[in-house]
Amino acid sequence: MHADPDRALPVADADQRELLLSCGAALFNVRAAIHALGAHPATTLFPRRDDRTLLAVVRPFAARRPDPRLVELADAVPRRHTNRTPFEAGSIPVSVVAELRHAAEVEQAWLPRLDGKQLEGLRELVHKGHHAQLADPAFLAEWRQWTGRGPDSRDGVPDYAAGSMPSNNGGWVLRDFGTRLRGRPDDSEPLVVVIGSFDDTRVDRLRAGQAMQRVLLTATAAGLDASFISQPVEVPAVRAELRQLLGGGLWPQIVLRLGRGAPVPWTPRRSLADVLMEPSPLGAS
Ligand SMILES: Cc1cc2nc3c(=O)[nH]c(=O)nc-3n(C[C@H](O)[C@H](O)[C@H](O)COP(=O)(O)O)c2cc1C
């Protein structure tokens, strides 16, 4: 698996941390698919020091019985889509929250329990990150390039995928994709979780991306919707504050909002031909 640095976002993601998270998500999909086919995905992260864009080599080997849990997650891959609409009232069962926490831990990341005070602090940091980004003309220029695209675009966030904006969302500020405000006034409080890693190296980030995808697919399999709240992790000073809020031991990698939303149109996918290439000798060996 290679990264495609041409599609990085140099302002919002200056150190390509989110690029690694995104590739980690794709890597988890590959691993889950291989498991679902009844093989073991032997995975080496960053196999070559001299090739920074070669992120992983995955070799399927040794047929074995498919793991039913991973079959379920692989099945959820095409159904997982970001849902930015208001989420319904009604809490998420404790057993599902435990499954989400377990999904992060299996992938060597952490989904900490946040108390009321930490949630309040996180809400403020989302505001802080959001407004810092809106005050940055370079961010706004990049944002305009990446979002609001028409139906023919196979990349970025198209207009129609934004959905209606929650009008309250329990005080959690979401990015405004320019869609009309159609949210209900009594939007419930969504479940907001942070995925953290124990260190912040490129390996940790790639692992955190796999954890993020495992959490998202576990949520999809449980009938939940999800969206991202990345403002506090995209502004380095705010991310440092969030790290302190979590106790100073974990590196916050991504913030997710979970619940049950209205159906949304799905974003397009790039064609297979666009994302596959001939394996290099290393990949083929
Ligand atoms: C690391 C990462 C951060 C993201 N941050 C945000 C965000 O802050 N706000 C948002 O609306 N979507 C965010 N997204 C969602 C992407 O825009 C979305 O995944 C992408 O457009 C593909 O659409 P899909 O999730 O529906 O497949 C993020 C995605 C990733 C992988």
Side-chain angles (χ1 to χ4, degrees):
M1 167 180 259
H2 292 261
D4 176 0
D6 289 346
R7 300 174 68 251
L9 298 177
V11 181
D13 187 29
D15 60 355
Q16 302 195 346
R17 191 184 59 80
E18 290 185 319
L19 180 145
L20 290 174
L21 288 185
S22 308
C23 291
L27 180 57
F28 182 79
N29 288 352
V30 171
R31 287 176 41 220
I34 291 172
H35 267 296
L37 291 171
H40 176 73
T43 306
T44 312
L45 304 185
F46 299 106
R48 282 174 59 157
R49 274 171 188 272
D50 59 342
D51 186 349
R52 281 177 71 80
T53 65
L54 179 60
L55 304 186
V57 172
V58 185
R59 293 185 182 87
F61 85 105
R64 59 181 194 180
R65 257 189 331 153
D67 173 340
R69 185 63 195 141
L70 284 156
V71 171
E72 196 185 5
L73 297 184
D75 280 350
V77 169
R79 285 183 281 123
R80 187 220 55 83
H81 280 267
T82 303
N83 189 322
R84 301 176 178 88
T85 66
F87 288 168
E88 276 172 22
S91 57
I92 296 172
V94 179
S95 60
V96 175
V97 178
E99 269 186 65
L100 299 172
R101 187 159 289 132
H102 180 69
E105 286 170 18
V106 176
E107 298 300 325
Q108 300 177 52
W110 196 246
L111 199 151
R113 252 173 253 275
L114 301 181
D115 62 28
K117 210 168 148 221
Q118 285 173 312
L119 281 172
E120 196 44 53
L122 175 55
R123 218 184 252 112
E124 283 169 22
L125 292 178
V126 174
H127 271 272
K128 202 166 172 178
H130 188 70
H131 292 293
Q133 289 187 317
L134 291 186
D136 178 358
F139 173 83
L140 291 177
E142 185 180 84
W143 169 253
R144 277 187 215 108
Q145 234 187 347
W146 186 245
T147 62
R149 298 189 177 191
D152 297 334
S153 173
R154 302 203 55 83
D155 229 344
V157 186
D159 257 343
Y160 64 80
S164 63
M165 274 274 276
S167 52
N168 174 335
N169 196 39
W172 296 98
V173 56
L174 301 182
R175 285 178 167 150
D176 185 356
F177 288 83
T179 45
R180 220 146 357 119
L181 208 69
R182 281 180 281 133
R184 292 152 286 184
D186 58 345
D187 301 332
S188 66
E189 172 111 354
L191 172 69
V192 174
V193 299
V194 181
I195 297 177
S197 55
F198 295 108
D199 209 335
D200 199 27
T201 64
R202 298 181 82 221
V203 173
D204 294 295
R205 293 168 174 187
L206 196 54
R207 285 212 178 105
Q210 294 175 80
M212 174 185 82
Q213 186 71 351
R214 193 167 184 139
V215 168
L216 288 169
L217 293 175
T218 302
T220 305
L224 294 178
D225 293 306
S227 73
F228 301 72
I229 310 180
S230 302
Q231 302 96 318
V233 286
E234 285 179 357
V235 179
V238 180
R239 185 173 179 232
E241 281 190 67
L242 177 53
R243 182 160 191 248
Q244 290 315 311
L245 187 81
L246 299 178
L250 280 181
W251 292 89
Q253 298 293 351
I254 197 77
V255 183
L256 300 174
R257 180 184 78 115
L258 298 150
R260 293 184 185 82
V264 284
W266 291 358
T267 52
R269 295 290 179 251
R270 295 168 75 198
S271 71
L272 265 188
D274 218 16
V275 295
L276 288 183
M277 60 187 201
E278 288 293 316
S280 64
L282 177 87
S285 66

